[in-house]
Structure formats: structure tokens, C-alpha cells
Amino acid sequence: DPEEKILQYKIRVFCRIRPASRAEAAQGGAIVVEKIDEYSVTVETPRGPREFQFDKVFSAEASQEDLFHDTSLIQLAIDGYNVCVFAYGQTGSGKTFTMVGDKEQKNPGIIPRAFNAMFDIMRENSSKFSFKVSAYMLELYNDRLQDLFASQAGEAHVHTQSHGQARRVEIKRNRKGVVFAQGAETKEASSAQELYALFQQACANRHISATMNVESSRSHLIVGIMLESRNLTNGSVSSGKLSLVDLAGSERAAKTGAKDHQLKEANSINKSLSALGDVISALSAELPHVPYRNSKLTQYATRVKAITNNAQRNVESKEIAQLKEVIMKLRSGQSVEEEDV
Ligand SMILES: Nc1ncnc2c1ncn2[C@@H]1O[C@H](COP(=O)(O)OP(=O)(O)OP(=O)(O)O)[C@@H](O)[C@H]1O
């Protein structure tokens, strides 16, 4: 039962190898990463081949459907769990493709598929439960949280901001330990189409650094979906949450040749990514202090703690060792290559 497996391993790390682009193929670059089996990849390094283990490896041939099938935790979120899926990797490694899909949506990614799947599940259960779906969508840019719904109100809203009346979005935790974005506007959706339309509006408000790499997203995108279900027989209510996160590229500032505000962007991105690494590392090592407060991104990731607490004993040490290696590199400021992750 895949769900039982999910409950057993509270953090899972998947590796997706993206196919070489047409430009890369034309340049005749060598393929340096190869899937060995379901769980391991080998990477050519100057010091010879190295092997890395994951909970699952997807080859370049894997479809968006394959990815969604194995990362889908929608039922769990509907059942009242807090679930978070995020994509990590350097610019151009395929995070947005995996999370969102291609521009024309011929190959939709995890986010639109999740929207469809949750409303399908709710429809199937509509004789026994009533459901409420609401969402907030945030962007974390230069360590500042922006509400992607609020800014879409346009000029009028900007004016209220200048009078200091705009709500600030802050990451808080409720008594149950569930993280929420205080002050973020939430919107209800009654169909997958409605939810996707909200998502598209939110995406239109994201920051994109035009000069560095047009396609490159320089901010983290956070989609939070609250799912409330009421049992029609006994009236009991359960609420779960699905967070879908498309992280900014993890490349180093030096590599990109970024200047001034772009450098600030890159530094801020790296700071938040390495803070996230520290949190995962501390959780894996069962350290008493988990440095959640080091960045807004990790404040957001606190729910990972609640999820891991119950199951730390079940986490396989091999996977953790793997993760730690990447995190150690991040900490010591070494570059973590796409293949490492
Ligand atoms: N599995 C895949 N199959 C086909 N094309 C892919 C795949 N993964 C990525 N691509 C293509 O590679 C390019 C870069 O991918 P993408 O924009 O998703 O990278 P990214 O990691 O989100 O980068 P950034 O950090 O700059 O946002 C895109 O043109 C995308 O369509």
C-alpha cells in the first residue's frame, strides 16, 4: 500500500533526471548522470564515478504522470494530514517543469495534477463528506514574503500599502503546531479550474529577473491549499493542508555573474536554501535544536518537524547519510551540483 509506505517514511527524496535539451545535445555535451536502478544514480566526477541513493529515481524518460503518481499525497491531505512537496535543483534543472509543467500545459506538472486529483477525490466522496477548499499563494523574494493574491488587486492596493495599512504576511504556528501564513489572503475554489485560474493569476505577479535568465525564477513560490472535510453522518470536521513549493534555482552567485540587486537575490536564495538544508540536517540527526528561525523559508518548513517527529526512528540511515552529504556541502559553501541532489 503506497500510503502506508508514505506514513512510514516521513521525508522522501526523489531524484529526477531531465533529458538533455536540444541546445545541450547540439553542443555535444556528455551525459554524466545515469540511473542504475529504481533507487540509485551514478554521477561522473573528476575523481571518477560516484553513486547516490534516493527513495526513488526517475530517468529522463519518466513522464509527468509517473512523477505525479509517486509523489501524490492528495488523499493524505484530504484525510487531514499536512503534506508538503517541493522541488530543489539548480536553474534549468526542471523544477518548474516538474511542479507546474510546460507553458502550453501539454505536459502539466504536479501542481495542476494535484488540483484535478483533489477535486476528483472530493467528487467521489461527496455522498459522505462535504468539502471546502481554500488557498493562499505566496512568493518569497529576498527573504520577504509577498502575497500573490493581494498584489493582484493592482494600483488601489499599492496605495493602501503606502499608507501603511497593508497586511503583513507572517509565518506563524498554531497550537497544534501547524504552520500558517498570517495575514495572507485566502481564496476559496469550488473546482480544479477555479483553483488553476487563481494559480495563474498568482504566477503573473511573480518577480522574474529579466536580464539574468528570462525563464529563471528568482524567488520561491509557495502554494498552500487548505482542505476541510465534514463528515455528513457524524458532523466531524478534519482539516489537512497541501503545500506545493517551487524553489528558486540553487546556483551560486559567482557562477551566474550576477551584479548588485541580482547578487542580493542570489545571496538571499542561497541563504534560505542552506537554512532549509540545516533544518533537514538537524531533523535527520535528531538534534535538540532545529534552526527554523534562520530564514522565512525554513519557518515555512517547520511542518516537516511535526511530520518527522513521529517517525524519525523509521527513517533509513542510508538516505539520511546521502542527504547529509549534500547539506554538508551546502553548509561549507561548496557548490551542490544538480547531480548531487
Ligand atoms: N523532464 C523534462 N522533459 C522535458 N523538458 C524538460 C524536462 N525538465 C525540464 N525541461 C525543460 O528544461 C527547461 C528548464 O526547466 P525549468 O524551467 O523547469 O527549470 P527550473 O529548474 O525551474 O529553473 P529555474 O530555477 O530557473 O526556475 C525548460 O524549457 C523545460 O521545459
Side-chain angles (χ1 to χ4, degrees):
D1 179 0
E3 272 184 27
E4 217 153 85
K5 206 177 151 219
I6 286 159
L7 290 170
Q8 216 175 356
Y9 303 104
K10 301 285 171 154
I11 298 182
R12 294 189 300 165
V13 183
F14 293 168
C15 169
R16 183 184 205 181
I17 302 169
R18 88 155 154 73
S21 68
R22 228 174 277 157
E24 285 163 339
Q27 283 166 8
I31 306 283
V32 296
V33 55
E34 206 183 325
K35 174 179 169 177
I36 306 172
D37 56 38
E38 288 296 286
Y39 309 105
S40 37
V41 294
T42 175
V43 179
E44 292 300 333
T45 77
R47 281 162 283 133
R50 288 190 60 189
E51 211 180 297
F52 295 91
Q53 254 81 41
F54 295 93
D55 289 294
K56 179 142 182 144
V57 173
F58 295 93
S59 72
E61 288 77 41
S63 68
Q64 296 282 68
E65 172 63 42
D66 295 336
L67 255 287
F68 180 70
H69 185 260
D70 282 326
T71 55
S72 177
L73 306 158
I74 314 300
Q75 183 69 58
L76 284 175
I78 292 176
D79 290 345
Y81 288 89
N82 289 304
V83 172
C84 178
V85 180
F86 67 84
Y88 178 92
Q90 70 188 71
T91 286
S93 56
K95 296 181 298 296
T96 302
F97 184 83
T98 299
M99 293 306 292
V100 184
D102 59 333
K103 272 203 203 79
E104 301 79 33
Q105 288 291 295
K106 281 189 199 131
N107 286 301
I110 287 170
I111 291 176
R113 283 174 197 271
F115 292 173
N116 285 326
M118 71 179 69
F119 281 97
D120 284 351
I121 293 172
M122 290 186 283
R123 212 170 10 251
E124 281 162 23
N125 292 284
S126 60
S127 62
K128 296 193 190 91
F129 295 90
S130 71
F131 296 96
K132 196 178 116 185
V133 177
S134 56
Y136 60 76
M137 301 193 190
L138 307 173
E139 178 181 52
L140 184 58
Y141 179 72
N142 285 347
D143 220 31
R144 274 185 45 198
L145 275 170
Q146 317 253 1
D147 188 335
L148 293 174
F149 284 159
S151 51
Q152 130 208 333
E155 287 303 303
H157 202 89
V158 173
H159 287 310
T160 57
Q161 257 174 357
S162 65
H163 290 105
Q165 284 158 9
R167 282 175 302 175
R168 269 185 59 173
V169 180
E170 279 181 89
I171 301 298
K172 298 270 178 192
R173 229 186 315 179
N174 70 13
R175 263 174 287 137
K176 284 187 194 160
V178 177
V179 173
F180 65 100
Q182 191 180 62
E185 192 168 336
T186 60
K187 295 198 175 188
E188 276 188 47
S190 55
S191 69
Q193 290 72 22
E194 248 180 72
L195 192 51
Y196 188 71
L198 290 176
F199 174 70
Q200 277 185 308
Q201 286 168 17
C203 286
N205 285 325
R206 289 188 73 180
H207 281 86
I208 292 177
S209 179
T211 43
M212 186 141 59
N213 176 353
V214 184
E215 296 294 318
S216 162
S217 31
R218 311 304 307 149
S219 61
H220 310 297
L221 170 73
I222 300 169
V223 174
I225 298 165
M226 283 70 69
L227 297 150
E228 206 180 277
S229 64
R230 178 184 293 273
N231 185 316
L232 295 174
T233 319
N234 62 21
S236 72
V237 175
S238 84
S239 44
K241 189 166 164 193
L242 177 65
S243 300
L244 301 161
V245 181
D246 188 6
L247 292 176
S250 63
E251 67 282 347
R252 286 178 306 167
K255 240 191 204 170
T256 59
K259 296 234 163 60
D260 301 332
H261 81 280
Q262 289 181 342
L263 196 64
K264 191 180 165 213
E265 276 180 359
N267 283 339
S268 166
I269 291 165
N270 284 355
K271 214 178 84 193
S272 57
L273 287 175
S274 70
L276 180 64
D278 288 344
V279 166
I280 295 173
S281 174
L283 286 171
S284 321
E286 299 186 43
L287 296 181
H289 173 70
V290 179
Y292 288 119
R293 304 199 63 83
N294 289 358
S295 140
K296 292 224 170 52
L297 181 64
T298 55
Q299 286 173 30
Y300 190 81
T302 44
R303 73 169 47 84
V304 176
K305 179 183 164 61
I307 297 168
T308 8
N309 269 349
N310 307 324
Q312 265 172 355
R313 269 161 272 117
N314 294 330
V315 178
E316 279 198 354
S317 58
K318 193 173 67 178
E319 292 151 4
I320 293 305
Q322 204 65 52
L323 205 55
K324 269 190 204 153
E325 198 173 322
V326 172
I327 287 157
M328 286 304 287
K329 275 186 150 188
L330 273 171
R331 262 207 192 130
S332 60
Q334 290 178 48
S335 79
V336 174
E337 298 304 328
E338 179 180 352
E339 301 84 23
D340 288 352
V341 184

